[in-house]
Amino acid sequence: MIKIAFIASEAVPFSKTGGLADVAGALPRALASRGAEVRVFLPFYRVTREADRTLSLSKTAGAAETDWRGGRVRFGLRVSHQRGYSVHFIEQDDYFDREGLYGTSAGDYPDNGERFGFFCLAALEAMRKDSFRPDIVHTHDWQSALSLAYLRNRFSEDAFFKGTSSVFTIHNLAYQGLFPREILSAVGLPDNLFHHEEMEFYGRVSFLKAGILYASAVTTVSPTYSREIQTPEFGCGLDGLLRHRSEVLSGILNGVDASEWDPAKDRHIAARYTPDKREGKKTCKADLLKTFGLPIDEEDIPVMGMVTRLAAQKGLDILADALDGLFEEKLRLVILGQGDPSLERRLAEAQKRRPDAFGIRLGFDETLAHKIYAGSDLFLIPSRYEPCGLTQMYSLKYGTIPVVRATGGLEDTVQEFDPETRRGNGFKFREAAPDALLGAVRRAGKILRRKDLWASLVGNAMACDFSWDRSAEDYLRLYRGILGSP
Ligand code: ADP
């Protein structure tokens, strides 16, 4: 049985800021159901402890120690048994008992390098303590990439990890974990890693680079994004290195966790529905309008939803520039989002101008997210880049038609609807410009008015299969291909 240690900085249902949590919450189960032995390693954050209080998800599992900053540091271990696999928490309150995972609205925590360095090292120590000797260490994004630097530098002579291979998955290349040179000694790594062929990146230390350099295989979360990041436009300065590693770089599309995202079973929404019996969707729409305090009228005006981090990546500036044009169409817009204060302000001001047509909720709200996927007719994702994107896959499952910019995983999962052949599942635009966005919304509007065509389109959307099964098979094939090649 192949043994996989999955090191991630967030996972549903314990902690979440974005798509990584959905992946780290679902992929381990899909791997385990195919016979892999999987252990997931996560920090024990304050939100995790709070969830634990109500759900009793974990129990203590002793403690371990590691060399850290010139002394020995003890940390707690907790474990939670999930269906087919287990989750192991690193409990170190100085680092993780804080309001946010990575920071607050005021910015990132200044000691993030140290926090996640400690997490990466402690995860490896926890494996040793429990004699869990992984065939594969699978790390995700900069927060867990340092595990691979430790494996190579601190544990290279350690028989325990001999023969362990590694995978690094890039969920978003733009977040790199950049720190001053001194971080290397602070986290117990040799200063000679400050070299352009190692972790140095334009005068700073890049944790993400450790993942790309030291992993046996590198993946990203869609085939298109895996090609895009090898170009200067999307490469964030790392495209040269990614081209250099192109032989071990591949794209594996994320999936949808059907136990969380299924309109036939969803406990968050006002009525349940299936591809064959879609009446419930109307109830969900009325409930959504009510939740946002928008009028419910005879005319059944289309609702376009968004659930998104409010970040430059997500193309909200393109949307903001398109708002006046959008409201000339008969359309209602509802947005759930959190993030960049200037974007929050800009959207809130626009909402005040058109309270009859525009609803906005600033914050993170899992239930409301489900209501938006279910109750909207259209779902807008104008991203400037999108490694995979889960929200278009969720909306498709809920029969809500995505209008997306053709980039990364959006390009791979959404096909423009063709009214002639009735093929396709959404609407796409290429140029990152308000007019292009408006063009796609108008094309969608035309089909919306043709009830029979719209019904075909919704049928196509709900029939899309984005289960984790296929992706889990791809990961297992990848793992088997690198077994024993650290
Ligand atoms: P990213 O990871 O770049 O934010 P993804 O599309 O991969 O984008 O994943 C986003 C995930 O986070 C989805 O599960 C989405 O529903 C969720 N999400 C984003 N913003 C919010 C929010 N404000 N409230 C609730 N869920 C959110």
Side-chain angles (χ1 to χ4, degrees):
M1 188 189 276
I2 188 167
K3 285 189 185 166
I4 300 152
F6 213 85
I7 311 180
S9 58
E10 50 183 278
V12 166
F14 306 104
S15 44
K16 172 167 173 176
T17 68
L20 169 60
D22 293 3
V23 175
L27 178 55
R29 194 185 326 130
L31 293 169
S33 73
R34 274 160 193 76
E37 183 179 347
V38 188
R39 292 193 180 192
V40 179
F41 293 84
L42 288 176
F44 197 66
Y45 298 107
R46 184 180 296 172
V47 285
T48 313
R49 174 170 288 139
E50 281 161 6
D52 219 23
R53 274 205 195 102
T54 43
L55 301 172
S56 299
L57 297 167
S58 76
K59 58 179 199 289
T60 55
E65 276 188 3
T66 188
D67 288 329
W68 189 248
R69 312 209 56 151
R72 292 288 286 172
V73 169
R74 260 173 89 78
F75 55 93
L77 292 169
R78 300 183 70 87
V79 63
S80 173
H81 293 287
Q82 301 288 305
R83 267 184 289 155
Y85 69 101
S86 53
V87 180
H88 301 256
F89 298 98
I90 306 300
E91 188 174 16
Q92 217 294 333
D93 287 352
D94 289 345
Y95 286 143
F96 303 121
D97 183 20
R98 299 189 189 180
E99 182 189 336
L101 271 53
Y102 314 125
T104 62
S105 55
D108 286 350
Y109 293 126
D111 59 348
N112 271 349
E114 226 184 273
R115 295 173 74 223
F116 289 98
F118 180 83
F119 166 61
C120 289
L121 185 59
L124 297 171
E125 294 285 11
M127 291 173 212
R128 274 213 305 202
K129 178 176 177 285
D130 288 346
S131 305
F132 178 76
R133 189 192 294 255
D135 297 303
I136 306 283
V137 169
H138 189 163
T139 55
H140 302 264
D141 281 352
W142 72 263
Q143 293 92 337
S144 57
L146 224 56
S147 297
L148 305 186
Y150 288 124
L151 278 177
R152 209 180 146 95
N153 288 280
R154 272 175 84 145
F155 296 101
S156 56
E157 303 298 314
D158 189 325
F160 188 81
F161 289 110
K162 209 170 170 59
T164 294
S165 306
S166 56
V167 177
F168 178 59
T169 297
I170 301 167
H171 296 259
N172 195 330
L173 188 70
Y175 298 90
Q176 303 194 345
L178 294 174
F179 303 98
R181 179 175 189 158
E182 296 69 42
I183 193 70
L184 287 171
S185 58
V187 300
L189 286 168
D191 189 61
N192 64 13
L193 294 184
F194 195 77
H195 185 280
H196 69 275
E197 288 180 358
E198 304 284 347
M199 289 172 64
E200 191 262 345
F201 185 69
Y202 295 101
R204 289 192 282 176
V205 171
S206 163
F207 282 19
L208 185 96
K209 206 176 159 196
I212 298 173
L213 274 172
Y214 306 144
S216 326
V218 180
T219 70
T220 184
V221 285
S222 70
T224 293
Y225 192 61
S226 78
R227 289 187 293 274
E228 286 173 341
I229 56 177
Q230 297 181 53
T231 66
E233 188 189 349
F234 293 94
C236 303
L238 288 162
D239 46 294
L241 176 62
L242 288 160
R243 283 195 300 279
H244 177 68
R245 297 232 70 201
S246 61
E247 282 198 358
V248 298
L249 171 64
S250 60
I252 300 179
L253 205 61
N254 287 335
V256 170
D257 182 353
S259 68
E260 278 293 316
W261 303 100
D262 179 355
K265 298 191 208 123
D266 194 324
R267 62 205 145 77
H268 297 291
I269 60 179
R272 272 140 293 277
Y273 56 96
T274 64
D276 302 326
K277 285 196 160 167
R278 301 182 202 155
E279 296 76 33
K281 192 162 171 61
K282 292 202 188 90
T283 313
C284 293
K285 181 169 176 177
D287 175 56
L288 179 65
L289 290 168
K290 195 167 133 233
T291 306
F292 274 96
L294 291 167
I296 301 169
D297 36 36
E298 288 290 294
E299 213 186 331
D300 197 24
I301 295 174
V303 172
M304 185 157 76
M306 289 182 85
V307 177
T308 183
R309 283 186 296 116
L310 298 178
Q313 171 201 343
K314 299 293 181 179
L316 289 142
D317 56 322
I318 309 172
L319 167 74
D321 290 340
L323 278 175
D324 290 338
L326 271 183
F327 294 130
E328 280 168 25
E329 306 296 307
K330 253 200 168 161
L331 189 86
R332 295 210 167 101
L333 179 65
V334 296
I335 300 183
L336 166 63
Q338 186 177 36
D340 181 344
S342 66
L343 283 171
E344 290 191 353
R345 261 197 309 278
R346 193 162 172 202
L347 292 172
E349 277 160 21
Q351 193 275 334
K352 278 197 199 111
R353 290 202 305 275
R354 285 303 303 269
D356 56 317
F358 186 8
I360 180 159
R361 195 64 60 80
L362 300 174
F364 197 92
D365 186 335
E366 194 69 41
T367 297
L368 186 56
H370 285 249
K371 284 179 189 281
I372 293 176
Y373 294 117
S376 306
D377 300 291
L378 298 170
F379 195 89
L380 179 65
I381 315 177
S383 301
R384 291 190 173 270
Y385 70 93
E386 194 57 75
C388 174
L390 291 166
T391 61
Q392 80 280 15
M393 299 200 223
Y394 299 157
S395 21
L396 286 163
K397 279 216 79 166
Y398 283 75
T400 299
I401 302 306
V403 177
V404 306
R405 189 155 171 264
T407 181
L410 299 171
E411 175 77 308
D412 293 339
T413 53
V414 177
Q415 293 81 41
E416 176 84 18
F417 181 70
D418 178 346
E420 295 297 317
T421 61
R422 299 195 173 209
R423 292 232 178 94
N425 59 7
F427 300 91
K428 283 206 271 203
F429 59 98
R430 277 189 193 274
E431 210 193 328
D435 284 345
L437 185 159
L438 285 169
V441 171
R442 287 190 193 114
R443 290 199 300 282
K446 268 194 198 138
I447 307 294
L448 254 165
R449 287 189 286 276
R450 306 251 323 257
K451 293 290 175 218
D452 61 321
L453 284 181
W454 189 254
S456 302
L457 171 52
V458 172
N460 295 353
M462 296 186 82
C464 289
D465 173 18
F466 296 116
S467 75
W468 272 106
D469 298 341
R470 196 173 0 149
S471 315
E473 285 298 337
D474 288 345
Y475 279 109
L476 282 171
R477 204 169 306 122
L478 177 82
Y479 296 151
R480 286 190 206 107
I482 56 170
L483 276 181
S485 58

